[in-house]
Amino acid sequence: MKNALPKDRQGRTPEKNTEELAASLRSSGVDTFGFADMTGYDIDLVGIENNLKERLPYAVVFAVALSGGVMETIAGGPNQLYLHHYRQLNYRLDTTAYTIGREIEKQGFSAVPFAASQVVDWRKQSGHISHKKVGLLAGLGWIGRNNLLVDPTYGSHMRYNTVLTDLPLVTGTPIRRDCGSCTACVTSCPAKAIKEEVSAFDHKGCYEMIDKLRKERNIGHHICGICVAACKGVR
């Protein structure tokens, strides 16, 4: 038939698709994952056609936890150990995204795996897609005072990645939680960029501090980790 789905797309349900992807993600060793409806993604994609959100309306978002031991070595700023750890987790997330994307494509659907960490707009310090926004939509956590996604268990000790797809999935919803009375990130920030009110986060001040630390600590990369280390969660 002219409009029939390819054989490998027939008889599939969102529930079955979600169950199979969940099994693959668990076997990959990620620490948390979820599925999001991209119709709730209300910001533009960067450096790529924005209609990708319409063509691929489902998102698979997943994360791996940073090593608690490595995070404990951050004193006053990033070090070479944290830089290596950061890069290794990004590589692992990129590999997982590729594997999940290929698994979806083999079933006759489309998928676009993104990079865990890639700046494509240096002025705004933005990647192609906001993993934290997708994670928020999937119900993996909330946006904390430090402007990062906060996982209920791991806090901000997480690195994320995303795959967009047209594979129908059962999607999550944002959770109704916040940081409550915790201000660990506020008191730890050397730039004083983190405020009591989440909406008052000082993006410019944060970037200027990161750039300063990059030079002073001979890191060669725009990372900090101070507020990440402070937001430990309950694990």
Side-chain angles (χ1 to χ4, degrees):
M1 295 190 306
K2 185 177 180 180
N3 295 322
L5 291 172
K7 185 177 180 180
D8 49 6
R9 293 182 63 166
Q10 295 176 5
R12 303 192 66 87
T13 65
E15 291 77 15
K16 179 178 176 60
N17 297 334
T18 305
E19 180 182 342
E20 290 181 354
L21 270 187
S24 295
L25 287 161
R26 290 189 189 98
S27 66
S28 74
V30 300
D31 291 293
T32 189
F33 61 85
F35 308 99
D37 179 353
M38 286 298 288
T39 59
Y41 190 91
D42 55 3
I43 55 179
D44 288 339
L45 298 178
V46 180
I48 195 169
E49 66 271 21
N50 204 49
N51 66 1
L52 196 66
K53 294 185 296 184
E54 287 71 49
R55 292 197 293 107
L56 306 178
Y58 299 95
V60 184
V61 58
F62 48 91
V64 290
L66 291 152
S67 162
V70 170
M71 299 311 292
E72 288 177 1
T73 70
I74 295 176
N79 54 40
Q80 292 292 335
L81 177 62
Y82 175 55
L83 174 64
H84 174 75
H85 186 56
Y86 176 92
R87 286 174 168 168
Q88 288 301 107
L89 290 194
N90 287 341
Y91 175 77
R92 181 180 171 191
L93 287 164
D94 288 350
T95 301
T96 301
Y98 169 77
T99 301
I100 293 298
R102 284 296 294 131
E103 180 177 320
I104 291 171
E105 290 177 339
K106 288 175 182 178
Q107 295 170 9
F109 293 85
S110 298
V112 172
F114 287 90
S117 181
Q118 179 186 34
V119 177
V120 295
D121 185 333
W122 283 96
R123 184 176 63 86
K124 296 182 179 179
Q125 286 293 291
S126 300
H128 285 302
I129 192 168
S130 171
H131 302 307
K132 68 180 179 183
K133 175 67 175 181
V134 181
L136 179 70
L137 293 173
L140 298 188
W142 62 91
I143 303 301
R145 292 186 172 94
N146 58 6
N147 198 46
L148 299 174
L149 189 65
V150 179
D151 179 271
T153 301
Y154 295 94
S156 293
H157 284 206
M158 303 292 277
R159 298 291 305 157
Y160 294 86
N161 204 356
T162 303
V163 176
L164 294 188
T165 182
D166 58 357
L167 176 72
L169 297 167
V170 178
T171 57
T173 56
I175 59 178
R176 294 179 177 274
R177 287 189 60 178
D178 57 32
C179 298
S181 61
C182 179
T183 58
C185 64
V186 177
T187 56
S188 71
C189 179
K192 306 302 180 185
I194 305 173
K195 315 296 182 182
E196 290 282 345
E197 293 296 323
V198 175
S199 60
F201 181 81
D202 181 1
H203 293 268
K204 185 174 182 292
C206 176
Y207 177 76
E208 289 175 348
M209 177 56 67
I210 289 174
D211 194 49
K212 178 183 178 182
L213 291 171
R214 176 182 65 87
K215 298 170 184 176
E216 290 181 351
R217 293 188 164 244
N218 194 30
I219 294 295
H221 201 91
H222 284 93
I223 57 174
C224 174
I226 296 175
C227 71
V228 176
C231 183
K232 300 178 181 180
V234 296
R235 61 173 173 173

